[in-house]
Amino acid sequence: MPKVTVDGVELEVPQGATVLQACELAGKEIPRFCYHERLSIAGNCRMCLVEVAPGPPKPQASCALPAADGQTIRTDTPMVKKAREGVMEFLLINHPLDCPICDQGGECDLQDQAMAYGRGSSRYDENKRAVEDKYMGPVVKTSMTRCIQCTRCVRFSEEVAGVPEMGMLYRGEDAQITSYLEKTLTSELSGNLVDLCPVGALLSAPYSFEARPWELKKVPGIDVMDALGTNIRLDVRGRQVMRVLPRINDAVNEEWAHDKTRHHVDALVRSRLDRPWVRRGGKLQEASWSEALALFAEQLNAAGSSVAAIAGDLLDAETMYAAKALLAGQGSNLLEGRQTGLDYDVTSLGAVRFNTPLAEVENADFVLLVGSHVRWEAPLVNTRLRKAVKRGAKVFAIGPEVDLTYKVEWLGDDLKALAKLPKEAAEALGKADRPLMIVGPGALAKGALGAALKAGKAFVRDGWNGFNVLHTSAARMAGLMLGYAQPGGLKDVQAAGPKLVLLLGADEVADDAFAGAFKVYVGHHGDRGARQADLVLPGAAYSEKHGTYVNIEGRVQRGERATFAPGDAREDWTIFRAVSDLIGKPLPFDRFDQLRSAMVADTPGLGADEGTILDYGWNPPQLDAKAEGAVGYAIADFYLTNAICRASPMMHRCSDELIHGRSPFAEAAE
């Protein structure tokens, strides 16, 4: 390991580290605009200048200079200070200096570094250049006159998102960043460009002119738009979530978030259930809480043990546990969370989870996708697969051909290929040290878990388990731990003929699934589940309650309450607690901490420390290994997968423009 001296401090740095990284290891702050830890090195902003000996007697760009043994690095000399002031002066020559009206104000790298490293005055009195703003779609708003051509956006689009739609035109003073033919950015990760832009040239279109950063309360949360468990920050003003940003967690989402995570927040104040509704004469009519709870209690008593609960995709573990406790008091264990009808075997949770740690996916050298459109089902798993491909991994897939942003050898859409892989795939698997299989919900819907497990034996090695099931429901793993799974899935619940069905935010259940039952919907949006219910009780969205979530790899994570539910809506568990009193079987918790303690006592794994990956063991069941027939994908429209998204104008706009290709610019009738 090279030994270098930074401002008089000697230290060892990893082989291959740059001078900038060496300075940061020594605790020195190095200004930068083009450099980013997760992108390739461009070396074109020149803000990270330092003095290095031995070397030429001039400042050098530390981001592109390898650290070498014996180097003496100075970050605070007059030469360095003057050089940085000069670079900053050039950067500001054409910048509009419109901080008071810029949405980036208060969290702008250029603003901060101009204060810390720039001159106190300007010597430039010529006309500034102006660049026409570009249209880049519904997510990204542009103010290209501010652009300093750092090319972070270009490198992210190509290297991380895998959709190389951005680039630079012209040279020198005429240089400008644009999307390809000034078209809409089609990547589902384009919102990250806003975080990457250091100068306010790329801004969040939905958040534009809505709030200033110092007005916002910042609350840590867990994303429920997919099953990855992306760590997020909810920025709140008053009683409204204004935006969602990713938190850095290298083990889960790195520092990225997809556009559905970022931009569904407009739906948290739209189409909300904020009071109870009772169906009378075939129509839902407003009711008071006392009326609604009395009817709920009456129907529970009448149903006796003939009660079932169907859990939706966005639920926290505490809500599911409270509902389970309510049903247990009635003598029922008819619990199911796979509301679309999946019925795969769950006797071994290790056989239905993502066994490879997410951070290790990028180290795979062979990948087999089975019925998984991973780019839509888990975009941030797809970014890690891109890294694996860059390192030489070969990817094979069974399913309809789609663009996954990297080279894939398609093996057709017939599941028969699982039983005997084609020669090329079999040879590549035999040579692989860290093979990876990802079984998607499309394969599970075809009953292919047994065949996948049989084929998956070749993916399990000493110290490496490459067999992975990819779920799309944020509530799935916690629900399976709590028993929300019947052997035959939803069909078993239907066959039992329950007199009362509790729909816990379950919006994907078919309208005729429980035709003769009294349906109670507890949820936050008036979506499909509410429209078929006989009693609608307004609950809290994920951002309005504390909650425990378990992601696809079995990682326990917890989100905090950012706002309160609107109107007369209540946290879901309080509804079950109240009705339990009315039926004379009170649940043994009155506060949320008591509820969580009871849940942990019942299911200890849910009480694990934050970030713990639970050990489910690896003991796959012996299942029917026959699988054949064409496999499809579970998601037809990436932007409209749940009740919150379907209530979001921004998600509908993204769907229209990015999925269906409809122009955002209305044309006048001729």
Side-chain angles (χ1 to χ4, degrees), residues 367-377 382 385 394-414 417 421-425 438 631-633:
V367 180
L368 176 63
L369 305 175
V370 185
S372 176
H373 187 343
V374 67
R375 181 177 173 183
W376 281 6
E377 292 161 5
N382 203 52
L385 289 176
K394 292 186 176 181
V395 180
F396 298 84
I398 300 173
E401 293 191 21
V402 292
D403 179 14
L404 296 179
T405 74
Y406 42 81
K407 184 181 178 181
V408 178
E409 297 290 337
W410 295 94
L411 307 179
D413 60 2
D414 196 321
L421 291 175
K423 181 180 179 182
E424 182 185 358
I438 297 179
V631 65
Y633 297 131

Side-chain angles (χ1 to χ4, degrees), residues 71-273:
Q71 280 178 336
T72 300
I73 304 163
R74 297 297 302 274
T75 69
D76 54 2
T77 64
M79 180 196 293
V80 170
K81 183 175 184 295
K82 186 176 181 180
R84 289 175 181 173
E85 286 178 353
V87 170
M88 181 60 69
E89 194 170 8
F90 277 118
L91 290 175
L92 293 178
I93 277 179
N94 283 314
H95 197 79
L97 303 179
D98 56 349
C99 301
I101 62 164
C102 177
D103 271 332
Q104 196 92 328
E107 47 191 9
C108 172
D109 290 349
L110 184 64
Q111 201 175 49
D112 296 340
Q113 293 183 39
M115 289 292 293
Y117 303 101
R119 291 169 56 91
S121 60
S122 173
R123 297 178 290 177
Y124 186 76
D125 56 7
E126 305 294 330
N127 292 328
K128 290 176 179 283
R129 79 165 188 166
V131 180
E132 184 179 350
D133 292 344
K134 310 295 191 295
Y135 181 75
M136 293 189 179
V139 168
V140 178
K141 173 187 173 184
T142 63
S143 182
M144 300 312 293
T145 300
R146 300 171 184 154
C147 180
I148 62 169
Q149 290 81 45
C150 71
T151 69
R152 280 186 181 183
C153 53
V154 177
R155 285 173 284 146
F156 174 86
S157 297
E158 183 171 347
E159 297 167 11
V160 179
V163 185
E165 296 174 332
M166 297 190 73
M168 184 184 291
L169 297 179
Y170 316 125
R171 302 180 66 185
E173 187 183 35
D174 295 323
Q176 53 182 283
I177 299 291
T178 180
S179 58
Y180 180 66
L181 297 179
E182 298 192 20
K183 298 294 185 182
T184 297
L185 300 176
T186 59
S187 171
E188 65 286 347
L189 299 171
S190 58
N192 294 290
L193 298 175
V194 176
D195 291 349
L196 286 170
C197 183
V199 297
L202 303 179
L203 300 166
S204 173
Y207 176 70
S208 182
F209 300 121
E210 292 293 330
R212 289 293 197 179
W214 52 84
E215 300 174 332
L216 304 174
K217 179 180 71 171
K218 300 167 177 61
V219 182
I222 301 298
D223 175 47
V224 297
M225 294 296 113
D226 59 24
L228 191 75
T230 298
N231 288 211
I232 57 175
R233 191 186 84 196
L234 299 152
D235 284 1
V236 182
R237 185 178 65 188
R239 298 189 64 168
Q240 183 176 349
V241 178
M242 303 303 295
R243 65 177 177 179
V244 170
L245 296 176
R247 287 184 287 136
I248 297 176
N249 187 333
D250 287 334
V252 181
N253 58 291
E254 298 181 280
E255 61 184 82
W256 316 126
H258 56 73
D259 291 346
K260 193 162 55 172
T261 297
R262 289 175 179 273
H263 299 304
H264 69 270
V265 293
D266 57 347
L268 295 176
V269 293
R270 288 176 170 84
S271 301
R272 290 300 302 269
L273 298 171

Side-chain angles (χ1 to χ4, degrees), residues 298-625:
E298 177 188 332
Q299 292 293 332
L300 270 175
N301 283 326
S305 62
S306 185
V307 183
I310 311 299
D313 292 344
L314 312 180
L315 289 183
D316 56 292
E318 286 82 358
T319 295
M320 289 186 282
Y321 175 76
K324 175 184 177 181
L326 180 67
L327 263 65
Q330 296 293 104
S332 171
N333 63 351
L334 278 177
L335 307 170
E336 182 56 66
R338 298 164 294 179
Q339 51 179 327
T340 56
L342 298 180
D343 59 355
Y344 49 84
D345 186 281
V346 295
T347 54
S348 171
L349 292 186
V352 292
R353 68 107 165 248
F354 209 94
N355 287 287
T356 306
L358 293 172
E360 292 296 319
V361 169
E362 59 200 58
N363 295 322
D365 51 9
F366 174 92
V367 180
L368 176 63
L369 305 175
V370 185
S372 176
H373 187 343
V374 67
R375 181 177 173 183
W376 281 6
E377 292 161 5
L380 299 182
V381 172
N382 203 52
T383 61
R384 294 189 185 268
L385 289 176
R386 276 187 55 77
K387 290 185 185 180
V389 171
K390 285 182 180 180
R391 295 173 180 177
K394 292 186 176 181
V395 180
F396 298 84
I398 300 173
E401 293 191 21
V402 292
D403 179 14
L404 296 179
T405 74
Y406 42 81
K407 184 181 178 181
V408 178
E409 297 290 337
W410 295 94
L411 307 179
D413 60 2
D414 196 321
L415 287 168
K416 284 183 179 178
L418 259 180
K420 186 177 181 181
L421 291 175
K423 181 180 179 182
E424 182 185 358
E427 288 179 354
L429 174 59
K431 296 176 183 176
D433 295 321
R434 295 177 300 279
L436 195 74
M437 175 190 278
I438 297 179
V439 182
L444 296 179
K446 284 290 187 178
L449 180 61
L453 282 169
K454 182 178 179 181
K457 292 178 181 178
F459 292 78
V460 180
R461 313 280 172 86
D462 288 341
W464 176 269
N465 189 335
F467 181 82
N468 303 287
V469 173
L470 180 61
H471 301 293
T472 57
S473 163
R476 179 69 75 241
M477 292 308 298
L480 295 180
M481 292 173 67
L482 288 167
Y484 276 79
Q486 302 299 310
L490 203 61
K491 293 177 183 177
D492 280 7
V493 182
Q494 291 175 276
K499 297 177 181 177
L500 184 146
V501 176
L502 192 55
L503 300 174
L504 306 173
D507 292 292
E508 317 303 328
V509 178
D511 291 353
D512 58 353
F514 299 99
F518 184 87
K519 300 176 189 175
V520 180
Y521 179 82
V522 181
H524 38 79
H525 280 80
D527 204 69
R528 300 168 184 168
R531 289 196 288 269
Q532 64 176 289
D534 301 294
L535 174 62
V536 177
L537 302 175
Y542 79 98
S543 59
E544 297 156 359
K545 54 188 174 182
H546 300 285
T548 300
Y549 302 90
V550 182
N551 79 346
I552 49 176
E553 56 181 345
R555 185 185 301 271
V556 178
Q557 302 185 111
R558 296 180 181 87
E560 296 183 15
R561 179 172 60 201
T563 60
F564 291 94
D568 293 332
R570 301 180 179 181
E571 290 189 45
D572 310 53
W573 72 269
T574 64
I575 299 172
F576 307 138
R577 177 63 182 85
V579 78
S580 71
D581 267 346
L582 294 180
I583 62 176
K585 302 172 183 176
L587 296 175
F589 41 80
D590 298 315
R591 302 190 311 269
F592 180 80
D593 60 324
Q594 294 175 337
L595 164 61
R596 182 170 278 177
S597 295
M599 177 185 75
V600 171
D602 179 76
T603 311
L606 295 174
D609 292 339
E610 179 87 10
T612 299
I613 297 180
L614 300 175
D615 182 8
Y616 297 130
W618 176 247
N619 185 27
Q622 298 297 317
L623 304 175
D624 180 9

Side-chain angles (χ1 to χ4, degrees), residues 24-64:
E24 294 205 325
L25 286 172
K28 300 296 179 179
E29 180 181 351
I30 303 297
R32 84 290 297 271
F33 291 112
C34 68
Y35 176 79
H36 191 277
E37 292 82 354
R38 302 184 196 277
L39 303 177
S40 62
I41 294 171
N44 56 6
C45 78
R46 319 309 285 180
M47 194 64 203
C48 62
L49 296 173
V50 296
E51 195 175 336
V52 181
K58 63 178 183 178
Q60 299 187 65
S62 60
C63 68

